[in-house]
Structure formats: C-alpha cells, structure tokens
C-alpha cells in the first residue's frame, strides 16, 4: 500500500503522492498560488465564475469561496438537449448546499434559438463548437459588467490541448491569447478573464471533487465527439500515459516563451470599438456574434 | 468482479485479482482519463483489488 509522502496515511493520489487531507490542501494551495503568482484576482475583486455545472466550474466556485472570495456563478444554457439540463440541476444543488449564488442566461432567451435548433438548420456548415464559443463569450462579457473579473474552469488539459491545436492548425495568431489570463487586448470594454485551475489536471480536479463529495453527474456534450479538440485530447492522453508530465511540460514551455510569442505573433489591430447592434467590443462595425446571429435567425426562425 | 464503467454506462463482470493498473490495462482504459473507486474509497494504480470487489471507474473527462 502506498502512503502519503507527508504523513504516512493511505495515498489517494499518485501525482503527487498524498492522502486525502494533504491532497485537498495541495489543490487549494495550487489555486491560491496561481492566483497570486499571475495576479489573477485581487481580494477586493467582484468575481464572476463562468459555470456550466460541470466539475471544473464547480471546483472553481468551491475553492474561490474557500479562499475567501465571494464568487457568483453565471450559467449559460445553450439549449443542448440531453446534456445541459443535467448540469443545470447539479449547479442548482451545489448553489443551495454551498450558499453560492448564480444567474442563468440562455441562447433561447437571448437569440430566440437554441444551439440544437441552429445546428439542425445549419447542417454542418458551421461547427457547433465555433458557434457555441462565439455566442457564449459574448454573453459572458455582456453579463459581467458589474464584475472585475471572470474566472473560468479551464485546466491544464484544456490549455495543453489548445497549445497543440494552434500548432497543428498553424493558427499562431491565437497563441498569445492563451495563459492564466485570457486574451491580449486589455481594454475596459472587456472583462478580464482568468483561469485559477490552470495548473491542475482533469484527473486532479475530478479527484478533488470526489473527495469533497460534490455531486457531479457524468455527461458529455454530444457535439464534442466529432470535434478536433476531442482528437487532440485523445492523442495527448495516450502520450501522457507513455511519457508522464507531457501536458505540464507543454504548458510550461509555452509560458516560458509567451512573451516572445506575443512579440512575434500579435499584430496590433484596429482600435476596439462597440458593435453598432449590441454594443459589445469589436474591431469591426458589427461583432462576430451579431453577424452570426443575424444570419442564423433568418434560417432558424423562418 | 463487477466493474461499472461510467463512460459506457455499463457494468461488466470479469474474473480479476490484481492491481488497478493491471485492471485498467486489461480493460484498455487510459489511467489519466479515470479515477477508480471501491465503495467510497478512492483507489490508486498500485492498490490491489480482489475478485469479490465492486469497482466503479469514473471518467475525468466530461462536459464540452
């Protein structure tokens, strides 16, 4: 039987080798250190957590509360049948049990269509992930005006996948946007977005949420099965099994070179102004979200 | 041994006695994609399970 490297009780984790108490402490300390080292959140900040009701965002809410912040959750219901209802239910249960407030917005109330309805009409012309991402980010920014920072549940696995995806697609202009603080343009029209779970792996987060007894139903977005990210995720997990620490090495290598990457790939674009339709930030007359919604509303609602 | 695999929503029955690492290898499951539980006890790869145990293999990957 393997025992904790700190106290000799039975180990519940191998990376690092720790018992329940020391593992929980390790995870919370890691989040605290990430926040401090990268200046993610000040104690006085009003924090909004983008939450799906999934393990990563529930962990973000739980740990931020434990660290003395007073986070509020923002849950966006995209209208994905057989998936979103389950996580909304987890979020409601979590909110009651742990005294964390949250608000819910939906694509349906915002745009008059659900993601499922849009995808039926589009028939593969736009990827679900792209559409969902554009609309979700716009809503996050729209409903975060009263807050100083948006925290997302993005973790080590997510970041390693994004880095690899950008390289494989030679999409290097997106590289500078990665890191514990998302984005490159720091403008008052954008709410700062941060990733407190940045250095924690999926497995560590799942272990934590299990040990804390936080209810979290297993569910997969039906649109991820065919996504490029899914392929990269599978590949990285295979490599990780053969060569441990691959993911953290990819991420650390990116961070060591982030400044150079930004200097060499980020091109200062047009000034950020406000979309003429929704007043959200854009460097065009209309933002991407509004352009997409306009073309979709004609197809989906008619 | 009864093994519930969350990602498949299936319970499999098999004859097995050995480490979690060996069990996952037998089931062709990547160790970095799951946590393994016996009752409410979290097991690591080096832990040993017996044929009469009931095991749950929970996926760490979820959502979108």
């Amino acid at each position: 039987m393997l025992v904790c490297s700190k106290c000799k009780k039975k180990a519940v984790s191998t990376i690092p080798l720790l018992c329940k108490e020391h593992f929980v402490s390790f995870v919370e300390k890691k989040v605290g250190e990430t926040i401090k080292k990268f200046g993610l959140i000040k104690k006085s900040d009003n924090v909004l957590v983008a939450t799906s009701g999934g393990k990563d965002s529930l962990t973000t809410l739980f740990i931020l509360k434990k660290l003395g912040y007073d986070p509020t959750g923002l849950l966006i219901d995209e209208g994905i049948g057989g998936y979103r209802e389950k996580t909304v239910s987890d979020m409601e249960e979590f909110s009651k049990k742990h005294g964390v407030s949250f608000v819910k917005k939906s694509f349906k109330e915002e745009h008059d269509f659900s993601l499922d309805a849009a995808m039926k009409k589009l028939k593969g012309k736009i990827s679900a992930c792209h559409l969902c991402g554009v609309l979700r980010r716009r809503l996050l920014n729209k409903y975060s005006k009263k807050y100083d920072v948006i925290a997302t549940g993005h973790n080590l696995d997510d970041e390693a996948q994004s880095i690899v995806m950008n390289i494989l697609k030679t999409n290097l202009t997106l590289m500078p946007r990665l890191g514990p603080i998302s984005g490159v343009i720091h403008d008052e029209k954008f709410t700062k977005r941060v990733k407190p779970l940045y250095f924690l792996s999926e497995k560590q987060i799942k272990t934590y949420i299990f040990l804390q007894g936080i209810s979290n139903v297993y569910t997969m977005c039906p649109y991820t099965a065919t996504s490029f990210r899914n392929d990269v995720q599978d590949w990285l997990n295979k490599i990780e099994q053969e060569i441990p620490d691959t993911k953290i090495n990819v991420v650390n290598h990116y961070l060591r070179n982030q400044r150079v990457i930004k200097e060499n790939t980020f091109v200062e674009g047009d000034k950020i102004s406000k979309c003429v339709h929704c007043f959200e930030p854009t460097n065009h007359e209309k933002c991407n979200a509004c352009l997409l919604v306009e073309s979709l509303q004609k197809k989906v609602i008619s | 041994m009864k093994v519930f695999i969350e990602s498949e929503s299936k319970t499999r029955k098999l004859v097995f006695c050995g480490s979690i690492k060996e069990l996952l290898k037998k089931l062709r499951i990547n160790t970095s994609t799951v946590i393994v539980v016996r009752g409410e006890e979290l097991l690591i790869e080096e832990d040993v399970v017996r044929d009469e145990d009931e095991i749950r293999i929970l996926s760490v990957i979820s959502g979108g």
Side-chain angles (χ1 to χ4, degrees):
Chain A
M1 181 179 81
L2 283 187
V3 296
C4 176
S5 56
K6 290 182 182 275
C7 73
K8 311 302 175 198
K9 279 187 191 167
K10 187 188 178 296
V12 297
S13 151
T14 44
I15 302 171
L17 187 64
L18 295 171
C19 66
K20 175 183 174 176
E21 286 76 23
H22 285 113
F23 180 79
V24 164
S25 189
F26 158 79
V27 166
E28 291 166 3
K29 195 175 167 198
K30 182 65 78 177
V31 172
E33 283 169 353
T34 302
I35 290 172
K36 190 175 174 185
K37 182 176 176 182
F38 294 93
L40 302 188
I41 311 171
K42 296 196 290 282
K43 278 294 180 188
S44 55
D45 278 343
N46 225 347
V47 185
L48 185 70
V49 175
T51 179
S52 59
K55 72 173 193 309
D56 300 314
S57 53
L58 292 186
T59 298
T60 306
L61 279 163
F62 189 81
I63 294 181
L64 286 182
K65 194 157 163 111
K66 257 191 138 185
L67 292 177
Y69 300 94
D70 184 22
T72 300
L74 170 61
L75 189 150
I76 294 169
D77 183 352
E78 312 91 342
I80 302 174
Y83 165 62
R84 187 48 77 209
E85 311 96 319
K86 297 177 190 177
T87 62
V88 168
S89 170
D90 273 347
M91 184 63 225
E92 284 164 350
E93 186 189 322
F94 177 89
S95 172
K96 278 186 202 140
K97 192 173 174 186
H98 300 285
V100 173
S101 58
F102 80 103
V103 292
K104 189 178 122 181
K105 299 292 174 189
S106 72
F107 280 10
K108 183 74 181 161
E109 75 186 45
E110 293 287 324
H111 308 305
D112 273 334
F113 62 78
S114 67
L115 190 72
D116 281 347
M119 292 317 294
K120 262 189 199 145
K121 285 285 181 173
L122 287 168
K123 290 177 185 152
K125 284 177 191 157
I126 301 176
S127 91
C129 297
H130 172 71
L131 178 59
C132 184
V134 168
L135 297 184
R136 212 150 32 132
R137 278 190 292 276
R138 200 258 298 265
L139 287 183
L140 276 179
N141 209 58
K142 180 180 174 184
Y143 289 106
S144 61
K145 304 293 184 223
K146 292 188 305 183
Y147 299 87
D148 300 298
V149 64
I150 300 169
T152 61
H154 288 98
N155 57 52
L156 183 77
D157 287 59
D158 295 320
E159 190 79 349
Q161 289 157 26
S162 295
I163 292 165
V164 171
M165 283 166 71
N166 285 340
I167 292 170
L168 291 176
K169 286 193 160 183
T170 59
N171 216 341
L172 299 182
T173 52
L174 294 182
M175 278 292 217
R177 298 184 192 187
L178 302 176
I181 301 176
S182 302
V184 282
I185 298 171
H186 302 295
D187 186 291
E188 58 176 15
K189 298 180 197 71
F190 289 112
T191 310
K192 178 180 171 187
R193 273 187 291 139
V194 302
K195 303 167 189 166
L197 307 188
Y198 193 79
F199 290 102
L200 293 171
S201 69
E202 296 257 39
K203 186 160 178 159
Q204 287 169 337
I205 294 165
K206 181 73 177 184
T207 300
Y208 179 86
I209 208 166
F210 176 83
L211 292 173
Q212 295 291 50
I214 296 170
S215 174
N216 168 234
V217 81
Y218 170 76
T219 183
M220 288 294 291
C221 175
Y223 296 111
T224 56
T226 52
S227 71
F228 179 49
R229 182 176 284 275
N230 198 54
D231 293 336
V232 170
Q233 180 184 67
D234 282 347
W235 180 69
L236 267 173
N237 279 330
K238 280 187 187 119
I239 304 284
E240 183 78 26
Q241 184 149 309
E242 312 255 333
I243 310 171
D245 292 341
T246 293
K247 293 172 198 169
I248 186 67
N249 287 340
V250 164
V251 168
N252 278 335
H253 185 74
Y254 166 77
L255 287 176
R256 279 195 295 273
N257 292 281
Q258 191 182 35
R259 192 168 51 84
V260 169
I261 291 168
K262 277 185 181 173
E263 283 166 9
N264 286 285
T265 55
F266 176 61
V267 177
E268 192 75 36
D270 298 331
K271 201 180 158 194
I272 298 294
S273 55
K274 291 186 182 181
C275 171
V276 294
H277 186 251
C278 71
F279 311 115
E280 288 302 309
T282 179
N283 54 3
H284 300 289
E285 194 182 324
K286 269 189 193 169
C287 70
N288 275 344
C290 281
L291 289 171
L292 266 174
V293 167
E294 267 175 22
S295 70
L296 278 171
Q297 279 175 335
K298 287 175 199 161
K299 290 186 172 76
V300 179
I301 295 165
S302 62
Chain B
M1 171 182 284
K2 281 186 189 167
V3 180
F4 171 71
I5 304 174
E6 187 180 49
S7 59
E8 297 172 11
S9 299
K10 274 186 194 160
T11 299
R12 291 173 64 173
K13 286 183 188 170
L14 58 150
V15 175
F16 183 82
C17 184
S19 71
I20 292 296
K21 187 173 182 175
E22 288 162 344
L23 175 63
L24 293 177
K25 191 174 177 183
K26 186 180 173 82
L27 294 170
R28 295 186 188 196
I29 294 174
N30 187 316
T31 53
S32 60
T33 65
V34 296
I35 63 171
V36 182
V37 177
R38 176 176 54 199
E40 289 306 310
E41 183 192 1
L42 192 53
L43 302 175
I44 58 175
E45 287 173 44
E46 288 72 18
D47 285 329
V48 172
V49 287
R50 297 172 304 239
D51 200 46
E52 57 267 30
D53 286 337
E54 288 190 20
I55 302 295
R56 285 182 294 144
I57 298 178
L58 309 180
S59 180
V60 308
I61 300 167
S62 61

